[in-house]
Amino acid sequence: MSRSVDVAVVGGGVLGLATARAVLLAHPEASVAVLEKEDRWGAHQSGNNSNVIHSGLYYAPGSSKARFARQGGELMIRYCQEHGVPVRRTGKIVVATSTEQLPRLAALHERGRANGVTAQRLSAREIAELEPHVAGVAALSVAETALTDFGAVCAAMAAELGGLGAELRTGAPVLSLTPDGPRTLLRTPAEDYRARVFVNCAGLHSDVLARRAGARPAVRIMPFRGEYAELLGAARGLVRNPVYPVPDPALPFLGVHVTPMLDGSVHVGPNAVPALARQGYRRRDVDPRLVGELLRDPALRGLARRHWRSGATELARSLIHPLFVRDVRKLVPEVRSADLRRHGSGVRAQAVTRSGELVDDFAISSGAGGIHVLNAPSPAATSSLLIGSRIAAEVLDRLELPDRAAGLRSTEPE
Ligand SMILES: Cc1cc2nc3c(=O)[nH]c(=O)nc-3n(C[C@H](O)[C@H](O)[C@H](O)COP(=O)(O)OP(=O)(O)OC[C@H]3O[C@@H](n4cnc5c(N)ncnc54)[C@H](O)[C@@H]3O)c2cc1C
C-alpha cells in the first residue's frame, strides 16, 4: 500500500523530529510522515550523547556551528522549560593544565568573543575557589552552558508531533528512495510513502540514504565511538559543574570532560575512537562490509595520514585503562583508577571528505526531490530547533507553501 504525503522525514533523531515539527508549526495543513527504523525515537546519537547544551564557545567564527549554537542553545533551554524536559544552566570551565596550553586557551577566549559568548578568565586560585578538586594553571568560565536530556527532548517532540497531526512510524526502515513522477517513493517493510519532498536525517546512515536516493554525496560518514566512564561513590563529589580540557584545534572533538549529570551521576568522556560498524557501540562490533569499504576508500588513507598520531593516542587511551585514568587525573588529580567504571558509549556520525579531511561544520545539501543532512555532529542537538526551522523553510519553498513562521525566523542568524 502506498500513502501520499507532502513531506517524509527519514530518521527520528532530534534533527528529524525538529524538522517535522518546524514544518507543521509553519504550515499545519501539511501532511508529514516521520520514518524511524528503530522501535523508539532518539535511539542513536540523540539518545547517546553528553546532554550538554553548548554555548557556542568553540566554533570557527562565521561557521554554521557558531551561528546556530548560541541562539539554538537558548531556544533549546526554553523548549525544555516549556515542555517539562529536565534542564539546568550549570555553566562550565575549560581548564589549561599546563602553561603550554595557555596560547590555545587565549585563542579559545578570542573565539568565544567573536561568537558573542562571554567567557571569564580564571587564575589557578579562582579555579580552586570554584572547583577545589580541579587542577589548572588558568581556565575560562562560561555561564551559558546548560545540561538536559536529549532523549527526553526527542520524546517531547514526538508527543508534540502527534498533537500536530504528524504520521509517526517507528520500526519503519526506509529501504529505497526512487523517483515517482514529481514525487519520491520511499519503501518501508510495512508501507510505502509517495512524498513531494523528503528530508534525509538518517545520522550514521545519511550518506547511505543519499546514495540510495541517487545523490552522489561529496562526503562519507565515518563512525567515531565516544566511550564514557562514570565516577563512583565519593569521587562523584570531586566536581560541581562540567569541567573540560582545552581542545585540540585540529580535531572537531572537545576532549574527555567530567560532567555531573542531572540525575546525580558524573560522566567522564567521551573519547573519540574510529568505530568499525556504523552502530559500533562496543569494540567487538565489526561490520566486515564497512571495513572492506573503508579499506578501499582513499578518504580513510587521507584521514590516517593526517591524524594517525591523535588516532593512536585515542586508541591507546581506550584500550589501556591507566592511560585513561592518567588523562582524567590531569584535570582532577584525586581520581583513582578504582573510582572509574565504564559507562556506555555513543557513536558520532562524522563526515569525511574524499581527500580525508574531517568536515568541521554542519553540511546540508539539496538534491532532486530531497534535502540531505550530511554532517550534523555536536552541537547539532543543541542547535536542532534552529537547524530544523532552516530545513523547514526550504521544504516549504519546494512545496510552494507559505511559511507562516517566517516572521519568527527573521530574528534568527543569517
Ligand atoms: C558521544 C556523543 C556526544 C555528543 N554530545 C553532544 C552534546 O553534548 N551536545 C550536543 O549538542 N550534541 C552532542 N552530540 C551530537 C548530537 O548527539 C548529534 O548532533 C545529534 O543527535 C544528531 O541528531 P540526528 O537526528 O542527526 O541523528 P540521530 O540521532 O543519529 O538520528 C538519526 C536517526 O536516523 C535513523 N535511521 C537511519 N537510517 C534509517 C533508515 N534507513 N530508515 C529510517 N530511519 C533511519 C536512525 O535509527 C536514527 O534514529 C554528541 C554525539 C555523540 C555521539
Side-chain angles (χ1 to χ4, degrees), residues 363-388:
I364 300 176
S365 82
S366 291
I371 298 161
H372 302 279
V373 178
L374 292 169
N375 198 46
S378 183
T382 297
S383 321
S384 52
L385 292 163
L386 263 192
I387 300 176

PDB file of all heavy atoms in Angstrom, residues 363-388:
ATOM      1  N   ALA A 363      26.795  20.210   7.455  1.00  0.00           N
ATOM      2  CA  ALA A 363      26.698  20.148   5.984  1.00  0.00           C
ATOM      3  C   ALA A 363      25.317  19.615   5.600  1.00  0.00           C
ATOM      4  O   ALA A 363      24.942  18.499   5.991  1.00  0.00           O
ATOM      5  CB  ALA A 363      27.796  19.246   5.424  1.00  0.00           C
ATOM      6  N   ILE A 364      24.582  20.447   4.886  1.00  0.00           N
ATOM      7  CA  ILE A 364      23.230  20.067   4.437  1.00  0.00           C
ATOM      8  C   ILE A 364      23.197  20.334   2.943  1.00  0.00           C
ATOM      9  O   ILE A 364      23.563  21.429   2.504  1.00  0.00           O
ATOM     10  CB  ILE A 364      22.162  20.924   5.161  1.00  0.00           C
ATOM     11  CG1 ILE A 364      22.264  20.701   6.675  1.00  0.00           C
ATOM     12  CG2 ILE A 364      20.757  20.579   4.650  1.00  0.00           C
ATOM     13  CD1 ILE A 364      21.345  21.551   7.513  1.00  0.00           C
ATOM     14  N   SER A 365      22.822  19.328   2.151  1.00  0.00           N
ATOM     15  CA  SER A 365      22.819  19.561   0.709  1.00  0.00           C
ATOM     16  C   SER A 365      21.438  19.260   0.129  1.00  0.00           C
ATOM     17  O   SER A 365      20.683  18.455   0.680  1.00  0.00           O
ATOM     18  CB  SER A 365      23.903  18.719   0.030  1.00  0.00           C
ATOM     19  OG  SER A 365      23.424  17.417  -0.171  1.00  0.00           O
ATOM     20  N   SER A 366      21.142  19.928  -0.964  1.00  0.00           N
ATOM     21  CA  SER A 366      19.844  19.751  -1.604  1.00  0.00           C
ATOM     22  C   SER A 366      20.017  18.914  -2.849  1.00  0.00           C
ATOM     23  O   SER A 366      20.964  19.127  -3.596  1.00  0.00           O
ATOM     24  CB  SER A 366      19.286  21.107  -2.017  1.00  0.00           C
ATOM     25  OG  SER A 366      18.950  21.816  -0.864  1.00  0.00           O
ATOM     26  N   GLY A 367      19.127  17.953  -3.038  1.00  0.00           N
ATOM     27  CA  GLY A 367      19.195  17.142  -4.243  1.00  0.00           C
ATOM     28  C   GLY A 367      17.815  17.057  -4.865  1.00  0.00           C
ATOM     29  O   GLY A 367      16.860  17.625  -4.321  1.00  0.00           O
ATOM     30  N   ALA A 368      17.728  16.330  -5.975  1.00  0.00           N
ATOM     31  CA  ALA A 368      16.438  16.164  -6.623  1.00  0.00           C
ATOM     32  C   ALA A 368      15.489  15.500  -5.632  1.00  0.00           C
ATOM     33  O   ALA A 368      15.811  14.471  -5.055  1.00  0.00           O
ATOM     34  CB  ALA A 368      16.612  15.304  -7.867  1.00  0.00           C
ATOM     35  N   GLY A 369      14.371  16.119  -5.382  1.00  0.00           N
ATOM     36  CA  GLY A 369      13.350  15.503  -4.532  1.00  0.00           C
ATOM     37  C   GLY A 369      13.582  15.641  -3.045  1.00  0.00           C
ATOM     38  O   GLY A 369      12.678  15.380  -2.268  1.00  0.00           O
ATOM     39  N   GLY A 370      14.806  16.012  -2.629  1.00  0.00           N
ATOM     40  CA  GLY A 370      15.010  15.999  -1.182  1.00  0.00           C
ATOM     41  C   GLY A 370      16.203  16.782  -0.680  1.00  0.00           C
ATOM     42  O   GLY A 370      16.975  17.350  -1.452  1.00  0.00           O
ATOM     43  N   ILE A 371      16.297  16.796   0.629  1.00  0.00           N
ATOM     44  CA  ILE A 371      17.354  17.530   1.330  1.00  0.00           C
ATOM     45  C   ILE A 371      18.102  16.500   2.190  1.00  0.00           C
ATOM     46  O   ILE A 371      17.471  15.671   2.853  1.00  0.00           O
ATOM     47  CB  ILE A 371      16.721  18.617   2.225  1.00  0.00           C
ATOM     48  CG1 ILE A 371      15.952  19.618   1.349  1.00  0.00           C
ATOM     49  CG2 ILE A 371      17.767  19.322   3.082  1.00  0.00           C
ATOM     50  CD1 ILE A 371      14.934  20.439   2.110  1.00  0.00           C
ATOM     51  N   HIS A 372      19.436  16.580   2.146  1.00  0.00           N
ATOM     52  CA  HIS A 372      20.240  15.597   2.876  1.00  0.00           C
ATOM     53  C   HIS A 372      21.073  16.285   3.962  1.00  0.00           C
ATOM     54  O   HIS A 372      21.844  17.197   3.645  1.00  0.00           O
ATOM     55  CB  HIS A 372      21.202  14.883   1.918  1.00  0.00           C
ATOM     56  CG  HIS A 372      20.505  14.187   0.783  1.00  0.00           C
ATOM     57  ND1 HIS A 372      19.922  12.955   0.928  1.00  0.00           N
ATOM     58  CD2 HIS A 372      20.286  14.569  -0.501  1.00  0.00           C
ATOM     59  CE1 HIS A 372      19.377  12.588  -0.234  1.00  0.00           C
ATOM     60  NE2 HIS A 372      19.584  13.547  -1.109  1.00  0.00           N
ATOM     61  N   VAL A 373      20.901  15.840   5.204  1.00  0.00           N
ATOM     62  CA  VAL A 373      21.745  16.342   6.300  1.00  0.00           C
ATOM     63  C   VAL A 373      22.954  15.412   6.366  1.00  0.00           C
ATOM     64  O   VAL A 373      22.841  14.269   6.803  1.00  0.00           O
ATOM     65  CB  VAL A 373      20.977  16.334   7.641  1.00  0.00           C
ATOM     66  CG1 VAL A 373      21.883  16.809   8.780  1.00  0.00           C
ATOM     67  CG2 VAL A 373      19.734  17.226   7.549  1.00  0.00           C
ATOM     68  N   LEU A 374      24.101  15.898   5.898  1.00  0.00           N
ATOM     69  CA  LEU A 374      25.256  15.007   5.738  1.00  0.00           C
ATOM     70  C   LEU A 374      26.319  15.162   6.819  1.00  0.00           C
ATOM     71  O   LEU A 374      27.211  14.332   6.940  1.00  0.00           O
ATOM     72  CB  LEU A 374      25.887  15.228   4.358  1.00  0.00           C
ATOM     73  CG  LEU A 374      24.997  14.774   3.199  1.00  0.00           C
ATOM     74  CD1 LEU A 374      25.558  15.251   1.871  1.00  0.00           C
ATOM     75  CD2 LEU A 374      24.833  13.257   3.197  1.00  0.00           C
ATOM     76  N   ASN A 375      26.242  16.232   7.588  1.00  0.00           N
ATOM     77  CA  ASN A 375      27.148  16.347   8.735  1.00  0.00           C
ATOM     78  C   ASN A 375      26.449  17.157   9.820  1.00  0.00           C
ATOM     79  O   ASN A 375      26.237  18.356   9.674  1.00  0.00           O
ATOM     80  CB  ASN A 375      28.466  17.031   8.343  1.00  0.00           C
ATOM     81  CG  ASN A 375      29.566  16.787   9.363  1.00  0.00           C
ATOM     82  OD1 ASN A 375      29.766  15.643   9.805  1.00  0.00           O
ATOM     83  ND2 ASN A 375      30.281  17.825   9.769  1.00  0.00           N
ATOM     84  N   ALA A 376      26.071  16.473  10.871  1.00  0.00           N
ATOM     85  CA  ALA A 376      25.382  17.153  11.981  1.00  0.00           C
ATOM     86  C   ALA A 376      25.925  16.634  13.312  1.00  0.00           C
ATOM     87  O   ALA A 376      25.199  16.073  14.118  1.00  0.00           O
ATOM     88  CB  ALA A 376      23.875  16.942  11.885  1.00  0.00           C
ATOM     89  N   PRO A 377      27.245  16.829  13.518  1.00  0.00           N
ATOM     90  CA  PRO A 377      27.812  16.408  14.810  1.00  0.00           C
ATOM     91  C   PRO A 377      27.511  17.462  15.875  1.00  0.00           C
ATOM     92  O   PRO A 377      26.822  18.452  15.601  1.00  0.00           O
ATOM     93  CB  PRO A 377      29.309  16.347  14.507  1.00  0.00           C
ATOM     94  CG  PRO A 377      29.520  17.389  13.456  1.00  0.00           C
ATOM     95  CD  PRO A 377      28.239  17.485  12.665  1.00  0.00           C
ATOM     96  N   SER A 378      28.054  17.292  17.061  1.00  0.00           N
ATOM     97  CA  SER A 378      27.884  18.280  18.134  1.00  0.00           C
ATOM     98  C   SER A 378      28.323  19.658  17.611  1.00  0.00           C
ATOM     99  O   SER A 378      29.328  19.744  16.902  1.00  0.00           O
ATOM    100  CB  SER A 378      28.759  17.873  19.319  1.00  0.00           C
ATOM    101  OG  SER A 378      28.557  18.762  20.383  1.00  0.00           O
ATOM    102  N   PRO A 379      27.625  20.726  17.833  1.00  0.00           N
ATOM    103  CA  PRO A 379      26.471  20.917  18.699  1.00  0.00           C
ATOM    104  C   PRO A 379      25.121  20.875  17.962  1.00  0.00           C
ATOM    105  O   PRO A 379      24.275  21.749  18.166  1.00  0.00           O
ATOM    106  CB  PRO A 379      26.715  22.314  19.251  1.00  0.00           C
ATOM    107  CG  PRO A 379      27.286  23.057  18.054  1.00  0.00           C
ATOM    108  CD  PRO A 379      28.084  22.043  17.297  1.00  0.00           C
ATOM    109  N   ALA A 380      24.911  19.846  17.138  1.00  0.00           N
ATOM    110  CA  ALA A 380      23.658  19.813  16.365  1.00  0.00           C
ATOM    111  C   ALA A 380      22.451  19.537  17.264  1.00  0.00           C
ATOM    112  O   ALA A 380      21.346  19.980  16.952  1.00  0.00           O
ATOM    113  CB  ALA A 380      23.747  18.786  15.250  1.00  0.00           C
ATOM    114  N   ALA A 381      22.636  18.809  18.352  1.00  0.00           N
ATOM    115  CA  ALA A 381      21.486  18.600  19.241  1.00  0.00           C
ATOM    116  C   ALA A 381      21.110  19.936  19.896  1.00  0.00           C
ATOM    117  O   ALA A 381      19.942  20.323  19.942  1.00  0.00           O
ATOM    118  CB  ALA A 381      21.813  17.539  20.286  1.00  0.00           C
ATOM    119  N   THR A 382      22.133  20.653  20.362  1.00  0.00           N
ATOM    120  CA  THR A 382      21.919  21.999  20.920  1.00  0.00           C
ATOM    121  C   THR A 382      21.163  22.886  19.931  1.00  0.00           C
ATOM    122  O   THR A 382      20.232  23.603  20.291  1.00  0.00           O
ATOM    123  CB  THR A 382      23.312  22.648  21.195  1.00  0.00           C
ATOM    124  OG1 THR A 382      23.992  21.871  22.176  1.00  0.00           O
ATOM    125  CG2 THR A 382      23.191  24.086  21.643  1.00  0.00           C
ATOM    126  N   SER A 383      21.576  22.825  18.655  1.00  0.00           N
ATOM    127  CA  SER A 383      21.077  23.748  17.623  1.00  0.00           C
ATOM    128  C   SER A 383      19.884  23.195  16.866  1.00  0.00           C
ATOM    129  O   SER A 383      19.447  23.807  15.880  1.00  0.00           O
ATOM    130  CB  SER A 383      22.185  24.019  16.598  1.00  0.00           C
ATOM    131  OG  SER A 383      23.430  24.147  17.183  1.00  0.00           O
ATOM    132  N   SER A 384      19.367  22.033  17.284  1.00  0.00           N
ATOM    133  CA  SER A 384      18.419  21.309  16.421  1.00  0.00           C
ATOM    134  C   SER A 384      17.147  22.101  16.093  1.00  0.00           C
ATOM    135  O   SER A 384      16.627  21.995  14.970  1.00  0.00           O
ATOM    136  CB  SER A 384      18.055  19.965  17.060  1.00  0.00           C
ATOM    137  OG  SER A 384      17.626  20.152  18.391  1.00  0.00           O
ATOM    138  N   LEU A 385      16.663  22.907  17.034  1.00  0.00           N
ATOM    139  CA  LEU A 385      15.421  23.639  16.733  1.00  0.00           C
ATOM    140  C   LEU A 385      15.658  24.650  15.606  1.00  0.00           C
ATOM    141  O   LEU A 385      14.807  24.821  14.729  1.00  0.00           O
ATOM    142  CB  LEU A 385      14.900  24.349  17.988  1.00  0.00           C
ATOM    143  CG  LEU A 385      14.389  23.410  19.082  1.00  0.00           C
ATOM    144  CD1 LEU A 385      14.283  24.134  20.415  1.00  0.00           C
ATOM    145  CD2 LEU A 385      13.037  22.806  18.699  1.00  0.00           C
ATOM    146  N   LEU A 386      16.829  25.280  15.623  1.00  0.00           N
ATOM    147  CA  LEU A 386      17.141  26.251  14.565  1.00  0.00           C
ATOM    148  C   LEU A 386      17.428  25.554  13.242  1.00  0.00           C
ATOM    149  O   LEU A 386      16.955  25.993  12.198  1.00  0.00           O
ATOM    150  CB  LEU A 386      18.380  27.049  14.946  1.00  0.00           C
ATOM    151  CG  LEU A 386      18.196  28.411  15.576  1.00  0.00           C
ATOM    152  CD1 LEU A 386      19.524  29.147  15.586  1.00  0.00           C
ATOM    153  CD2 LEU A 386      17.181  29.234  14.811  1.00  0.00           C
ATOM    154  N   ILE A 387      18.209  24.473  13.296  1.00  0.00           N
ATOM    155  CA  ILE A 387      18.524  23.746  12.055  1.00  0.00           C
ATOM    156  C   ILE A 387      17.214  23.245  11.446  1.00  0.00           C
ATOM    157  O   ILE A 387      16.964  23.360  10.250  1.00  0.00           O
ATOM    158  CB  ILE A 387      19.490  22.560  12.310  1.00  0.00           C
ATOM    159  CG1 ILE A 387      20.801  23.059  12.901  1.00  0.00           C
ATOM    160  CG2 ILE A 387      19.753  21.783  11.026  1.00  0.00           C
ATOM    161  CD1 ILE A 387      21.782  21.944  13.281  1.00  0.00           C
ATOM    162  N   GLY A 388      16.340  22.685  12.309  1.00  0.00           N
ATOM    163  CA  GLY A 388      15.050  22.171  11.822  1.00  0.00           C
ATOM    164  C   GLY A 388      14.239  23.262  11.154  1.00  0.00           C
ATOM    165  O   GLY A 388      13.635  23.047  10.097  1.00  0.00           O
TER     166      GLY A 388
END
